[in-house]
Amino acid sequence: MGQEILWLSKHQKEAEKFSGRWIAILKDRIIASGDSVKAVMQEVEKKGIKELPLVMKVPRKDEEAYIL
């Protein structure tokens, strides 16, 4: 999971495009996004990805960050 956090720290502008939404990051890219954790994980499963991604909500400017 360290690789995903490192990628996120270097690509905050890219992640900000998903403000207010949940995203899944695997290695060096965003692999799914949605309005809920469930929607994101369904997209990950649909793509046949077996590895567990870093899942987080990209906070709006007035919100705290949450990482699962």
Side-chain angles (χ1 to χ4, degrees):
M1 186 179 309
Q3 183 178 358
E4 290 83 1
I5 293 173
L6 181 61
W7 180 88
L8 183 60
S9 71
K10 293 180 179 181
H11 296 89
Q12 290 181 7
K13 289 287 184 191
E14 186 173 342
E16 286 175 3
K17 297 175 187 174
F18 297 92
S19 179
R21 295 178 53 88
W22 288 86
I23 60 172
I25 302 171
L26 188 60
K27 298 179 181 162
D28 61 354
R29 65 188 176 103
I30 296 172
I31 58 169
S33 68
D35 292 326
S36 67
V37 173
K38 183 178 179 179
V40 168
M41 292 309 296
Q42 286 174 336
E43 188 176 336
V44 169
E45 289 175 17
K46 186 189 231 183
K47 291 180 178 182
I49 297 169
K50 302 296 182 196
E51 294 178 71
L52 188 61
L54 170 73
V55 177
M56 64 170 286
K57 184 175 182 186
V58 180
R60 293 183 195 102
K61 292 184 182 194
D62 62 337
E63 291 181 317
E64 299 288 327
Y66 301 95
I67 298 175
L68 303 178

